[in-house]
Amino acid sequence: MSDTPSPPSSPLAALRERVLRALDRKLRQTSRMSRNGLRFSIFLAGAMGVAVFSLVFSWVADTALAWQRALHTHYTWATLVLLPPGLAALRWLTLRVAPQARGSGIPQVIATQHLPPFGVAQTTLVSFPQALWKIGLTAVALFLGASVGREGPSVQVGAAAMLAWGSWWQHRAGVRVGFHAQALLTAGAAGGLAAAFNTPLAGVVFAIEELGKGASLRWDRLVLAGVLASGFLSLAIVGNNPYFQVHEPILFLREAWPWIVLAALVCGVFGGLFAKLLLGGVTGILPAAIGQRVQQHPVWTAFGCGVVLACIGASTHGDTYGTGYEQVAALLNGHPIETHWFGVSKLAATVASYFAGIPGGIFTPSLAIGAGLGQHLWQLTAGLADERVLVLVSMAAFLAAATQAPITASVIVMEMTRSQNMMFHLLAATLLASFVARQFCPRPFYHAASRNFRREALAVEAASEKAAKA
């Protein structure tokens, strides 16, 4: 007998079979579209939440800075008295409630790229409760007068918020949307930076150059859309205003090229040494015997760093306190600042603040250090170069040297000052500065610092598994 199936008994039965098959295909297609649409909507909602968190963080940090300025203006002695015990108390509190919230926050996010997704180690580094603590502790550090920034912490806060949002939908809401932990972390971290600086394009570049270095990320439209959504929501709420208001456009003259090259070389040397100091820690600059004792007493170390910060602040009339935003804004607009050696003093204050082990980033302080170094170079030119050009180029060059992320540094400085006409010069200076810095500190700062956090997180995970077995 033949195996060929028999034809339908009637034309009506054949028509009904074709209609049923078409309906089945349509239902499956609609189901896939609904699932993808739900996935996309949930992801964008989380990215918008990251923008809101960043903006709230920005408001809290700006309020703390305003209080610090008012306190220093009316009671200069108060900051000197509060800094040492305040940093010691802040370090003690950080160790007790949020040990993974110390420092910038960007190394913690980079460390999560090499950990099991949604595991104990990963969630330890970007825990949402610790992120909330990081907002408050960073604000306290700014109020005390520490030389820290909020933009790096915004990266960790954004990553923690996005990971918690995706995890809730997958494991608690019962909606299997299939989010990848790496995609959530990348979108949240880069979105936090984009919203903090009000620079959507810089957020995308940061995600590619920094978070994508050494990790195979899934570059789909979901991640990029999430980063841009955070940045554009920030623009919609705050307005299309640059981070630094430059009242007159900064113009480039061909005669400035030699000075731009010199600025890149100087910032490359200082930036490389700056990163090396931060990675070495307070024990790296002390004799071995003293360094071991200091390492055993982190709270007293923070107290000593507070004394150093207070002395630097007193000698610079308070210019080194906080992020350095006001000083950079003044220099970009050609206005002098009172401190003659602001760049070098700001570098020392930022190193002391980092050694204290408190929450706070180095992003904005690095821009302030670069601006100060640009002012120093301009003073050497005896007016032969445009001060604002050297300040702008030195900002990007020092940031690139400290982080070894030249494209991110170029784009972020260009976007935060709306200096598109200087993009080529910024890129040339950052590439040269990054190359020079690599001779002093071969490993990029954020990636080198992430190794310690990764080891700590894996130790926490191992202890958790051991306790569970017991």
Side-chain angles (χ1 to χ4, degrees):
M1 295 180 61
S2 175
D3 293 335
T4 305
S6 58
S9 56
S10 66
L12 183 62
L15 178 62
R16 183 178 63 182
E17 186 176 347
R18 285 198 298 271
V19 170
L20 290 175
R21 283 201 299 267
L23 285 173
D24 184 58
R25 285 196 302 271
K26 193 66 176 176
L27 287 172
R28 286 200 299 269
Q29 183 181 8
T30 304
S31 175
R32 285 196 299 270
M33 291 177 61
S34 300
R35 180 184 177 85
N36 289 335
L38 177 63
R39 183 168 176 262
F40 197 74
S41 300
I42 292 173
F43 202 90
L44 287 185
M48 292 178 182
V50 168
V52 172
F53 269 105
S54 293
L55 293 175
V56 170
F57 192 2
S58 173
W59 177 82
V60 171
D62 290 345
T63 302
L65 283 170
W67 289 355
Q68 197 281 325
R69 283 193 296 269
L71 182 68
H72 180 74
T73 301
H74 294 92
Y75 308 100
T76 306
W77 56 268
T79 305
L80 303 176
V81 172
L82 286 175
L83 254 175
L87 290 192
L90 198 58
R91 177 59 171 156
W92 179 85
L93 190 61
T94 302
L95 289 170
R96 293 297 181 276
V97 300
Q100 303 302 333
R102 70 184 188 276
S104 168
I106 296 178
Q108 290 91 315
V109 175
I110 292 175
T112 61
Q113 305 287 340
H114 306 276
L115 295 173
F118 298 107
V120 174
Q122 191 178 75
T123 53
T124 296
L125 291 176
V126 287
S127 162
F128 188 64
Q130 284 203 117
L132 296 179
W133 273 107
K134 183 141 194 165
I135 293 175
L137 294 174
T138 304
V140 173
L142 290 170
F143 171 72
L144 291 172
S147 180
V148 296
R150 61 169 173 82
E151 288 74 21
S154 295
V155 171
Q156 187 180 12
V157 171
M162 197 70 175
L163 187 68
W165 174 256
S167 178
W168 183 84
W169 276 100
Q170 290 206 155
H171 302 299
R172 293 184 178 84
V175 180
R176 297 294 176 178
V177 286
F179 288 138
H180 293 274
Q182 254 186 12
L184 292 166
L185 289 166
T186 302
L193 184 74
F197 279 122
N198 213 19
T199 52
L201 180 59
V204 174
V205 176
F206 172 77
I208 295 172
E209 188 177 28
E210 275 292 350
L211 302 182
K213 191 184 296 181
S216 56
L217 298 178
R218 294 174 57 88
W219 293 112
D220 53 18
R221 61 174 183 167
L222 207 58
V223 175
L224 298 180
V227 177
L228 291 174
S230 297
F232 288 143
L233 182 62
S234 173
L235 287 175
I237 296 175
V238 179
N240 190 18
N241 302 313
Y243 188 78
F244 290 110
Q245 291 284 349
V246 181
H247 302 301
E248 294 183 9
I250 299 176
L251 303 177
F252 171 76
L253 299 175
R254 284 180 297 178
E255 292 79 5
W257 264 118
W259 298 109
I260 288 179
V261 173
L262 179 61
L265 293 174
V266 170
C267 289
V269 173
F270 275 91
L273 293 174
F274 174 71
K276 189 173 183 178
L277 275 173
L278 297 185
L279 289 174
V282 68
T283 56
I285 61 174
L286 296 173
I290 300 176
Q292 290 179 356
R293 293 182 181 179
V294 167
Q295 200 168 13
Q296 295 171 358
H297 302 283
V299 176
W300 282 107
T301 301
F303 185 92
C305 291
V307 173
V308 173
L309 272 173
C311 293
I312 297 173
S315 64
T316 58
H317 310 285
D319 280 346
T320 55
Y321 295 147
T323 60
Y325 175 88
E326 289 185 342
Q327 289 74 23
V328 175
L331 291 173
L332 283 173
N333 287 286
H335 304 313
I337 57 176
E338 193 172 355
T339 302
H340 294 294
W341 289 98
F342 170 71
V344 176
S345 301
K346 187 65 176 174
L347 189 150
T350 305
V351 170
S353 299
Y354 188 86
F355 284 174
I358 58 175
I362 64 166
F363 226 101
T364 312
S366 293
L367 295 174
I369 295 168
L373 293 177
Q375 184 200 28
H376 302 337
L377 288 174
W378 173 76
Q379 291 169 347
L380 294 176
T381 67
L384 295 177
D386 186 349
E387 179 185 10
R388 300 194 304 152
V389 169
L390 288 182
V391 167
L392 181 72
V393 169
S394 298
M395 285 169 60
F398 186 86
L399 181 61
T403 62
Q404 293 186 25
I407 301 176
T408 299
S410 302
V411 173
I412 206 165
V413 170
M414 177 272 293
E415 203 171 4
M416 66 169 47
T417 58
R418 301 294 190 265
S419 302
Q420 289 83 352
N421 60 314
M422 291 289 295
M423 186 60 200
F424 176 75
H425 313 90
L426 292 174
L427 187 58
T430 54
L431 288 171
L432 179 57
S434 182
F435 172 77
V436 173
R438 204 172 296 122
Q439 313 313 310
F440 297 90
C441 185
R443 296 178 297 171
F445 167 70
Y446 288 134
H447 290 265
S450 70
R451 297 181 181 181
N452 292 331
F453 287 102
R454 187 163 63 248
R455 283 194 293 266
E456 291 178 15
L458 290 173
V460 171
E461 186 176 50
S464 176
E465 291 176 355
K466 186 176 180 181
K469 290 179 181 179

